[in-house]
Amino acid sequence: MTGQTAYQELEALFQKVHHFTHLSSMAYWDSATMMPPGGSKARGQALAEVSSLINDLVGSRKTGDLIEKAETARDGLSDWQQANLREMQRQHFNASSVNSELVRAHALASSRCENAWRELRMENNWKDFEPLLSEVIDLTREQAAIRSEASGLSPYDALLNLYEPGQSSSTIDTVFARLKAYLPDFVKQTVEQQKGEVLIRPSGSFPREKQRALALDLMKAVGFDFNHGRLDSSHHPFCGGVPEDVRITTRYTEDDFSESLMGVLHETGHAKYDQGLPGAWLSQPVGQPRGMGIHESQSLFQEMQVCRSHAFLSFAGPLMAAHLSNPETPNACWEADNLYRLYNHVQPDYIRVNADEASYPLHVILRYELEKDLVNGNLKVRDIPEAWDEKMQEYLGLSTRDNYRDGCMQDIHWTHGMFGYFPTYTLGAMNAAQLYHAARKAIPNLEEQISRGDFEALNHWQSQAIWSWGSYYSIDELMLQGTGETLNPDYFIHHLQQRFSPL
Amino acid sequence: MTGQTAYQELEALFQKVHHFTHLSSMAYWDSATMMPPGGSKARGQALAEVSSLINDLVGSRKTGDLIEKAETARDGLSDWQQANLREMQRQHFNASSVNSELVRAHALASSRCENAWRELRMENNWKDFEPLLSEVIDLTREQAAIRSEASGLSPYDALLNLYEPGQSSSTIDTVFARLKAYLPDFVKQTVEQQKGEVLIRPSGSFPREKQRALALDLMKAVGFDFNHGRLDSSHHPFCGGVPEDVRITTRYTEDDFSESLMGVLHETGHAKYDQGLPGAWLSQPVGQPRGMGIHESQSLFQEMQVCRSHAFLSFAGPLMAAHLSNPETPNACWEADNLYRLYNHVQPDYIRVNADEASYPLHVILRYELEKDLVNGNLKVRDIPEAWDEKMQEYLGLSTRDNYRDGCMQDIHWTHGMFGYFPTYTLGAMNAAQLYHAARKAIPNLEEQISRGDFEALNHWQSQAIWSWGSYYSIDELMLQGTGETLNPDYFIHHLQQRFSPL
Ligand SMILES: [Zn+2]
Ligand SMILES: [Zn+2]
């Protein structure tokens, strides 16, 4: 077999994987949005089966041999094919490091833990949750040790690399140290400074159907492609599905629309990245998103940089009023200045997903520090609640003692077996600020366009900077070609200073 | 390897198949209910991929060898295991008889024909449809010949056996002859007899949400398990999903709720069968439904035997009134006598899916006779319209000359490459009548229970008679153990006589 033939066989193999990933993604989406509770056991088994099949296909010895063979013909491949081969190699390495029995055990334990979590969190029941989480963490540590052995990275970095290829915790430690030194005081100052602000909060009832109609209007305005996607509801909002059919979800609260609204726009940012991936390469590794930190940069670009800006809120205000106005909410509520104050109000709170932009990184840093210790064995599962409480007090001045629901049981990530994922949220926030800074330089009247609801130039710019590249570049290269430099936390800090300076 | 070990390996293999079937079923359901149009190409590829994987797993040489090996240990297997092995053998035989190239060619021709059919039917365009259908029928005949060669059955019976294992067209010929001799005159008489009836038709608008709420109430009343299933909307109603999570669909028409309502109850009958399959064997061939004629018997048992009865309508009337009453519909509409007349009105018409219970079998017999001739080569595709018209005139006194849309182009089955399926509708109707007769003997006050909305004893009886057996018995054995005799068309004819005798 020639190297060229080997490469062609690899493309065919990864296309097959793409089809199975399609089924897996849709089944996962369904389990969060549509599935009745009694279906969860069978679903968990089906998902575990296909994930083990995918792992076998990607990680097989045969795939490894084909990659080796294809490497010999590298010079005859196009640039994109070469990048594709590199990404195949990366996926093969990740899949082959861990045997499929362990992958399956981990998936099953996670599914058990996640299913129980929904109830147990409501009940604030840490006691029954702890053994389920322990099981997940034991299997995670087992995986981390094997991946560490194979890659030469630390156990935590070996997991981090699954979500953020090529990144290391030492880099993250450095940028997070910067934020940790800056943010606690900044949060306090901003709370002080905002004390005098008059906020007109929307009140009354906002029926789900009206919230949904507004969300659909805004999704459409910013460029979500409804021919290739949907909006639904789930307990924990996410962006799922496949690039050809992106499924985003939200959760509605009838007495407060604001949470759902910005949540939808956040997921829309994720979705636009997926929908904008290079069409010719969707079935191949190089056509996939470039890691979760970049993915989150696109959601936060949409939500934080664009949609919480004064310009966007002056565009969205009238639409919000048209859908949601009611006798209890004065018209002044829908004015841009008021919305801007509402959507940029800093208030340390327990829940990460509700956190304001300035507190949010502190939630992430807390989780990052704890999960590093959990993976490295420096923290026992039973000690999580206490460690959580301590750090919450230190970073945000709040105690979560005996409040597991709003403390260490609030997130789905660990129950789902995802360790090494949390830092990508704040990497995303920093990337987003840096990218938006570059976009503003490239599009001189950007804010004026946004205030008119015109996102064409901006979407085009994002497509050129990020979306259309898939995994062609490394993360550093991608940021470099998109913004002229690699990750620089200054842009984020500068953004916060601007965002929270008085109007 | 011992025969016992081989059997265990087979169970593991079919469990894997069960998991992939789960993903395939859910993805199919999603494509009919949720998927945006732009997702269809990727979905089609993913579904084709998994169906080819399933076919490979079930039909492989290795599976055949394991089955042969396991046969040597048959005596050491339990009764259920033996039945399971027999069903494994049957599935393996079906999957391995035809090579995958032919399966693929057939699937592609069917997909071409089906896609064109949607437009061509609207245009009443037989001329352009004919060559597409010819292609499907040629490939169907090729498959039938190969399956006939492998099984020793006639070509038509070889196809019929895919849907109705162990049944033959000679048995069907006999029972259909009985119906053909009886029904045309019976339909005429019933139309005459019903001429004097006063029907109060519900009128006005019946919002989807209200229809849905009523449907959910009635589904719940008759025993649909919402912990293991859902109701949604689709263009063509169906019962899909998996036994652990059964998804039924309906289509709402706001100016007429009756079509959706009985449709939902029909699909609920299918669903209750799936939900009642033997829990310990769900992942194995023996845990699957016993063919389409038995499946349809359960939907028609629910719809025709139970839900169109006077007893049921006297229970459902007040619920219908509570959900749907409006100023334009007089209260008398919701009375049992009126509903009974409405839901049992005989009126020969062109369209099978809208047919009343007495005409319906004649639609089926017409198709059965034509498709037998098509498969055996005794009817050319170009002669279908004339043959259709002749039989419609003979059986129902209606001409479809030049009216292809309401004649031979009305159904999806042939365009979809399904030959041998049509007779299962009427086998189902006959089985249902025979089963209901047995249930009435077993539960003396059954109708009184139904009129109170109490379905516990009846569901228990159906579970014992049919559901809990999966594919343990052959069709004949199942009917014998459930009713004391094998298929006997007298019960259906008797049922029609009762049903359409004056109130
Ligand atoms: Zn996000
Ligand atoms: Zn049916």
Side-chain angles (χ1 to χ4, degrees), chain A residues 11-32:
Chain A
E11 280 207 354
L13 178 113
F14 278 92
Q15 185 154 43
K16 190 177 274 206
V17 168
H18 177 68
H19 297 150
F20 289 119
T21 304
H22 178 121
L23 297 173
S24 170
S25 299
M26 297 316 308
Y28 177 76
W29 169 85
D30 183 273
S31 68

Side-chain angles (χ1 to χ4, degrees), chain A residues 20 53 111 117-118 128 134 139 141 153 206 263 316 337 420 425 446 452 464 491:
Chain A
F20 289 119
L53 172 70
S111 161
W117 166 73
R118 293 171 202 283
D128 291 337
S134 288
L139 289 160
R141 293 188 59 202
L153 301 169
F206 306 98
D337 281 3
Y425 288 115
L446 177 58
R452 281 188 285 107
Q464 300 294 303
Y491 292 103

Side-chain angles (χ1 to χ4, degrees), chain A residues 19 22 30 38 43 49, chain B residues 19 22 30 43 49 227 247:
Chain A
H19 297 150
H22 178 121
D30 183 273
R43 181 64 50 86
E49 188 75 69
Chain B
H19 296 150
H22 178 121
D30 183 272
R43 180 64 51 85
E49 189 76 68
N227 190 37
R247 307 283 174 99

